[in-house]
Amino acid sequence: MISEVKEFKILGDHRGQLVALEANRQIPFEVKRVFYIYGTQPEISRGNHSHYKTKQFLVAVHGSCKVTLDDGVDKEVYDLDRPNLGLFQDALIWGSMHDFSPDCVLMVLANDYYDDKDYIRTYDEFLQEVNR
Ligand code: TYD
């Protein structure tokens, strides 16, 4: 198993729903960065890279998408189709996000600041890195 979709408690009442995510609790790291992806064009796949050190946690806070994670041996596809679901993507895991619904807002929490040098952009380089 590469990862698993975590289900968060919905703190709902007659007014509506609320989900709370805390560092080192629901999110397995200290969060230093949040970005979100929306307005994704149909048929588009994003990501398609890995990171040397950066860990990420993905939540489709609106709409739905799928995430494929690949550890260099196995591949698994995860459905993020409710706002109380989240998926951890560890460092040295190849990831892609795809099958976005038109209304999807995918929020990504990361344990570090954006750093272009932390990206592994080719699958060959990724395989070399996981195999050493
Ligand atoms: P990109 O890595 O291409 O997105 P994806 O992996 O989803 O396909 O990022 C698009 C642009 O945004 C690129 O110019 C880098 C920039 N960017 C930041 O400045 N900060 C960030 O945290 C991220 C994720 C991207």
Side-chain angles (χ1 to χ4, degrees), residues 30-76:
E30 282 294 341
V31 178
K32 278 198 179 167
R33 176 166 54 107
V34 178
F35 61 95
Y36 43 93
I37 293 165
Y38 62 97
T40 308
Q41 296 300 304
E43 313 298 323
I44 286 289
S45 150
R46 297 200 65 137
N48 297 297
H49 60 245
S50 178
H51 291 278
Y52 293 103
K53 290 189 179 155
T54 302
K55 301 168 195 280
Q56 301 190 129
F57 199 87
L58 298 88
V59 181
V61 291
H62 194 256
S64 64
C65 70
K66 294 184 193 223
V67 182
T68 299
L69 298 183
D70 177 338
D71 62 7
V73 178
D74 296 314
K75 266 186 205 180
E76 285 171 9

